[in-house]
Amino acid sequence: MNKLFISYLQIASSMQGLGYKLIRLAILIIFFWIGILKFANYEANGIVKFVANSPFMSFFMKNASNNVLHPETGKEVKEYKLYEVREGAYDPVKSQWHEENRTYTFSHGLGILICVIGILVFLGMFNPYLGLIGETLCIIMTIGTLSFLVTTPEVWVSATPEALAAGEVANGFPYLGVAGRLVIKDTAILAGAVLLLSQSAKTILARIQK
C-alpha cells in the first residue's frame, strides 16, 4: 500500500505542466463559449443589470441606469427593471427597448472581447507574449466581473416582507442569488489567470536574460 501511495504521489507531482495546459484550455472553453453566447439576445438581456449598476460601465447603455417610477408599485427603480425578459421568452416591446438601450451592441462587442481574451490565454501555451497579453486582460476582466458583487443588488437574495415576517433569514449578504452564483466563479478564473501570468512572465524573463 505504501508503494502504491508513493507511486501516486510521484505521478501527481509530475502533473504541474499538464495542470497549466488544462487551465489554459478551461479558460478558452469558458471564455469562448460565453463570448459566443453574448450574440444571443437572452444572454445580452441578462447582463443589463450588471452594467446598469456599475459606475464604470453604465455609460455604455443609453437608458438602463435611468431612475423611473414603477407603474405598479409607484416606487423608483432603474429603468431596466421594467424591461427584464425571462430566458427563453420574447417580448417585442421589451426587445425594442433593448435595441434602443444599445444592449445588443454592447453585448456583441463584449462577446468579441471575451473570445479574444480566451484565445490569447490559450495561445500562451505556444507564445508567452500572447499569453501575457491575454492573462493581463483576463485578470482585469475578472476583477471587473467580481466588482458586481458590490455594485449589483441582484447578486444577493432579496427576501419579500412576507418571507421575512415568517422568519426567513436568507436576505442580503452572504446569501448569493442566481446572479451572485454566476459572478463568484470568477474567483477561480482570477486565480488561474494570475498563475498563468506568472508562468508567461517567467518564460519571457528567461529568454531576455539569456
Side-chain angles (χ1 to χ4, degrees):
M1 180 62 73
N2 186 53
K3 288 183 179 180
L4 286 174
F5 183 58
I6 294 299
S7 296
Y8 172 73
L9 291 178
Q10 289 173 338
I11 293 172
S13 67
S14 66
M15 295 175 68
Q16 185 178 31
L18 175 61
Y20 280 118
K21 290 181 175 64
L22 288 176
I23 293 173
R24 292 189 184 281
L25 180 60
I27 289 178
L28 172 65
I29 292 172
I30 293 170
F31 273 52
F32 195 81
W33 198 331
I34 291 177
I36 292 298
L37 288 179
K38 291 290 184 285
F39 287 85
N41 287 355
Y42 87 93
E43 174 69 15
N45 295 341
I47 66 175
V48 176
K49 56 181 168 289
F50 298 113
V51 179
N53 288 291
S54 172
F56 310 109
M57 303 179 196
S58 59
F59 64 90
F60 283 113
M61 293 186 174
K62 185 178 179 181
N63 304 311
S65 60
N66 294 339
N67 291 320
V68 297
L69 293 179
H70 195 287
E72 296 178 6
T73 65
K75 294 182 179 179
E76 190 174 79
V77 296
K78 296 286 188 182
E79 188 170 339
Y80 74 87
K81 297 291 287 184
L82 305 180
Y83 298 94
E84 292 178 311
V85 183
R86 181 180 61 81
E87 289 187 0
Y90 174 72
D91 184 310
V93 174
K94 293 180 179 180
S95 180
Q96 181 60 37
W97 180 87
H98 283 289
E99 289 280 0
E100 296 171 357
N101 183 55
R102 298 194 291 262
T103 298
Y104 304 133
T105 301
F106 174 79
S107 185
H108 297 167
L110 180 62
I112 293 171
L113 176 61
I114 292 173
C115 286
V116 169
I117 291 174
I119 292 170
L120 287 173
V121 170
F122 179 74
L123 290 178
M125 190 184 305
F126 313 102
N127 186 315
Y129 292 95
L130 292 178
L132 192 75
I133 296 170
E135 291 134 24
T136 300
L137 292 173
C138 186
I139 289 170
I140 294 171
M141 174 159 283
T142 51
I143 290 174
T145 300
L146 289 171
S147 73
F148 296 147
L149 291 171
V150 177
T151 61
T152 309
E154 287 90 343
V155 300
W156 308 107
V157 172
S158 181
T160 64
E162 294 79 12
L164 292 172
E168 175 59 67
V169 297
N171 184 53
F173 178 86
Y175 302 102
L176 289 168
V178 174
R181 296 195 293 274
L182 176 68
V183 169
I184 200 68
K185 67 170 176 31
D186 274 53
T187 55
I189 296 175
L190 176 61
V194 170
L195 194 62
L196 295 177
L197 179 68
S198 175
Q199 183 192 46
S200 295
K202 285 180 180 179
T203 302
I204 293 172
L205 279 172
R207 292 181 180 181
I208 293 174
Q209 293 172 352
K210 277 186 177 181

